[in-house]
Amino acid sequence: MSGRKRVVVIEGEDAAPEAMRPTVALVDRLGLPIDWVRPAEGIDLVIVRENLEDLYVGVEGDLSALRPLALSSPMARRPVADLGPGRFALKVITEEGSARVVRFAFELARRRRAAGRPGKLTCATKHNMLPATDGLFREVATRLAASYPDVRFETFIVDDFARRLVAEPQALDVVVLPNLYGDILSDAAAGVIGGLGLAPSGCYGDGYAYFEPAHGSAPDIAGKGIINPTATILSAAMMLDHLGFAPAARRLEAAVERVYADGRPLTPDQGGTATTLEFAAAVEGYLR
Amino acid sequence: MSGRKRVVVIEGEDAAPEAMRPTVALVDRLGLPIDWVRPAEGIDLVIVRENLEDLYVGVEGDLSALRPLALSSPMARRPVADLGPGRFALKVITEEGSARVVRFAFELARRRRAAGRPGKLTCATKHNMLPATDGLFREVATRLAASYPDVRFETFIVDDFARRLVAEPQALDVVVLPNLYGDILSDAAAGVIGGLGLAPSGCYGDGYAYFEPAHGSAPDIAGKGIINPTATILSAAMMLDHLGFAPAARRLEAAVERVYADGRPLTPDQGGTATTLEFAAAVEGYLR
């Protein structure tokens, strides 16, 4: 991470199921539908991820349970219930959920444009294979684009987008994705810029928001005092922003960036030998 | 691409829906369930992708159509049919489809081990959020691992895997993925190693197989005579392998690698000025 290299990623879903459930439950209880990710060398992109729908509605079952619907697969030319023994899961995309996250992303792109960034929104879906569900998400985004003529809007098929994210991340600004693609590709974005230890995240709802590092509980280094606190500190900066303390957020981010520019007090994941507290003390030093 | 850098990716699903359907139909008609991808600098990995199931069964509809099933979302604590206005798509994972692709991947890992490669199989799923469907895929893979004690087997949550694929691709050998993850992450892998123009693919069924470059129809450069034929030529090498002409396959691959080592007759996507035919002539020259 340098002054031109920043990352933000999603909640700790790499952790074990038990460790993750509370986060999902919290997202649900507070009605927080929107999650985002901001990776970065000359890279400064934000991934806005819908966070309540898609395959995360938690509806699965045996294929035989679908028999009453007489659904048929046009690809397999057989009733779905006869494809098994096997299981199904439901992917759900709603107009309201799609509009909410896309509007959030357009507003963010507009604010970033005002702050001198490109002000572009990229939407990626698998609308060619999933015209009803992903097609709806893309259709809602395309419709809303008309209300944001100042924001450049583009769409890609999600597999093509995955290649672009890895090969040309500098070309991206704000990205909006359905839940599952956002989950997978925000981690890929973290890989592009140097790891989850650098990636803060925010989860935004209508009445609430919460902020946390994107990484999980990292049991392999628990108790060693060497975890990289960058993601946690940058999550705090995102919270300050949300609460209306933008100057304080910028100061905190600048202090973190100066630690990386210094290059000495880095934790082991960044090739240094500093402890978590030594890193934090260095940030504090640059805050004074 | 160097002598130590090779890629193989999937069929042309980046193309428009109309352009893509014939491929899907062909996969279906021939009963070819398995697709693979092999990217590559010190990277030499193969992605084996299930190719008939998952969200590609083509079953979508309005959420209201699900009302007879009285399915409820534990996350939303509401009947699924009430989540809309919106749409659903079905993700399908079967025991048979999973076992077929996993067995193919284990056999490949075993053959690669015999050829001096690590002989490791990595399976990635979202089993924490999708215990019934992705959990089944992972369970089948874990069960089959017992029959391949010579192949090291590991599993990851797919978002964590996405980060690893980007950050540490050298640590991977053979990867097996459900259809959708394979679709997205094979393109990400192509991004890691330099583009779809380098990525051949094979699609294997019980009685048939076919081989093609992973890229789509590339309408932006149609008729210019500058497309990189590497993926097509390496697909031919995969076909030779499949037909039992391994020495010929190795010769063809070696000729392509020598063109890259030479570095002059490269097409524009690789920073060169050669035409497609000039590149092909250079390969032919090294075959003599």
Side-chain angles (χ1 to χ4, degrees):
Chain A
M1 190 168 135
S2 77
R4 296 180 10 259
K5 200 175 169 189
R6 304 203 310 170
V7 196
V8 184
V9 186
I10 264 111
E11 72 268 59
E13 291 179 345
D14 298 325
E18 320 76 63
M20 186 201 53
R21 292 276 171 200
T23 302
V24 173
L26 182 65
V27 169
D28 182 38
R29 187 164 56 78
L30 302 183
L32 304 174
I34 295 164
D35 222 341
W36 78 344
V37 182
R38 191 172 46 182
E41 210 86 59
I43 304 167
D44 183 2
L45 73 92
V46 182
I47 295 179
V48 180
R49 164 190 173 190
E50 197 284 321
N51 205 33
L52 289 175
E53 306 188 342
D54 205 341
L55 284 152
Y56 298 74
V57 294
V59 179
E60 294 187 291
D62 202 277
L63 283 174
S64 60
L66 297 173
R67 197 166 299 281
L69 291 186
L71 293 169
S72 190
S73 163
M75 301 301 177
R77 282 184 304 280
R78 276 190 295 163
V80 169
D82 292 344
L83 294 176
R87 315 263 177 77
F88 75 91
L90 274 190
K91 172 184 170 93
V92 170
I93 300 287
T94 73
E95 290 206 26
E96 189 188 343
S98 303
R100 188 163 44 181
V101 70
V102 169
R103 204 174 286 119
F104 183 97
F106 268 119
E107 292 290 339
L108 177 65
R110 180 174 272 176
R111 284 202 305 279
R112 282 168 64 89
R113 184 162 186 269
R117 293 283 310 157
K120 181 174 81 164
L121 181 63
T122 303
C123 173
T125 49
K126 191 74 193 174
H127 50 277
N128 52 340
M129 285 304 299
L130 298 165
T133 48
D134 279 7
L136 174 61
F137 190 93
R138 180 167 178 259
E139 185 189 305
V140 166
T142 305
R143 197 191 312 143
L144 282 170
S147 304
Y148 297 87
D150 50 323
V151 176
R152 191 147 68 87
F153 178 66
E154 62 185 12
T155 68
F156 294 109
I157 295 179
V158 68
D159 38 321
D160 182 31
F161 172 77
R163 186 190 55 77
R164 291 170 186 266
L165 175 65
V166 170
E168 310 155 6
Q170 299 84 353
L172 298 169
D173 185 16
V174 179
V175 177
V176 66
L177 298 170
N179 207 345
L180 180 65
Y181 310 138
D183 187 9
I184 296 173
L185 295 176
S186 58
D187 272 41
V192 169
I193 62 82
L196 286 168
L198 305 180
S201 83
C203 194
Y204 300 82
D206 290 335
Y208 302 85
Y210 74 83
F211 304 86
E212 62 176 345
H215 56 73
S217 53
D220 53 322
I221 54 171
K224 295 187 179 169
I226 55 166
I227 199 167
N228 187 342
T230 301
T232 302
I233 296 171
L234 293 180
S235 297
M238 288 175 76
M239 183 180 68
L240 288 169
D241 252 332
H242 182 69
L243 294 172
F245 300 104
R250 296 294 83 68
R251 247 184 94 208
L252 189 52
E253 288 174 352
V256 170
E257 287 176 1
R258 288 170 71 182
V259 173
Y260 280 90
D262 175 333
R264 279 170 301 144
L266 299 184
T267 45
D269 63 299
Q270 297 297 312
T273 58
T275 65
T276 304
L277 290 178
E278 285 165 354
F279 181 97
V283 173
E284 197 187 350
Y286 281 118
L287 273 176
R288 289 212 185 93
Chain B
M1 188 165 138
S2 76
R4 299 186 359 265
K5 200 175 168 190
R6 304 204 307 172
V7 197
V8 183
V9 186
I10 262 104
E11 73 269 60
E13 292 178 346
D14 297 325
E18 320 76 62
M20 186 201 53
R21 292 277 171 200
T23 302
V24 173
L26 182 65
V27 169
D28 183 37
R29 187 164 56 77
L30 303 183
L32 303 175
I34 294 163
D35 222 341
W36 76 344
V37 182
R38 190 173 49 182
E41 213 83 59
I43 304 168
D44 183 1
L45 73 93
V46 182
I47 296 179
V48 180
R49 163 190 175 191
E50 196 286 321
N51 206 33
L52 289 175
E53 307 189 341
D54 204 342
L55 283 151
Y56 298 74
V57 293
V59 180
E60 295 187 292
D62 202 277
L63 282 174
S64 61
L66 297 173
R67 197 166 298 281
L69 290 186
L71 293 169
S72 190
S73 164
M75 300 301 179
R77 282 185 304 282
R78 276 191 294 164
V80 169
D82 293 345
L83 295 175
R87 315 263 177 78
F88 76 91
L90 274 190
K91 172 185 170 91
V92 170
I93 301 286
T94 72
E95 290 206 26
E96 188 188 343
S98 303
R100 186 164 45 182
V101 70
V102 168
R103 204 174 286 119
F104 183 98
F106 267 119
E107 292 290 338
L108 178 64
R110 180 173 272 177
R111 285 201 305 279
R112 282 168 64 89
R113 183 160 187 270
R117 292 283 310 156
K120 181 174 78 163
L121 180 63
T122 304
C123 173
T125 49
K126 192 73 192 176
H127 51 277
N128 53 340
M129 286 304 300
L130 298 165
T133 47
D134 279 8
L136 175 60
F137 190 94
R138 181 166 177 259
E139 184 189 307
V140 166
T142 305
R143 197 192 311 143
L144 281 170
S147 305
Y148 297 88
D150 49 323
V151 176
R152 191 147 68 86
F153 177 66
E154 62 184 12
T155 68
F156 294 109
I157 295 179
V158 67
D159 38 323
D160 181 31
F161 172 77
R163 185 189 57 76
R164 291 170 185 268
L165 175 65
V166 170
E168 310 154 8
Q170 300 83 352
L172 298 169
D173 184 17
V174 179
V175 177
V176 66
L177 298 170
N179 207 344
L180 180 66
Y181 311 137
D183 187 9
I184 296 173
L185 294 176
S186 58
D187 273 40
V192 169
I193 61 86
L196 287 168
L198 306 179
S201 83
C203 195
Y204 300 82
D206 290 335
Y208 303 85
Y210 74 85
F211 303 85
E212 61 177 347
H215 56 73
S217 53
D220 54 321
I221 54 169
K224 294 187 180 169
I226 56 166
I227 199 167
N228 186 341
T230 301
T232 302
I233 296 170
L234 293 179
S235 297
M238 288 175 74
M239 183 180 68
L240 288 170
D241 250 333
H242 182 68
L243 295 173
F245 300 104
R250 296 295 82 72
R251 248 183 94 208
L252 188 53
E253 289 174 352
V256 170
E257 288 176 1
R258 287 170 72 181
V259 173
Y260 280 91
D262 174 334
R264 280 170 300 146
L266 299 183
T267 46
D269 62 300
Q270 297 298 312
T273 57
T275 64
T276 304
L277 289 179
E278 285 164 356
F279 180 97
V283 173
E284 197 187 351
Y286 282 117
L287 272 178
R288 290 216 184 88

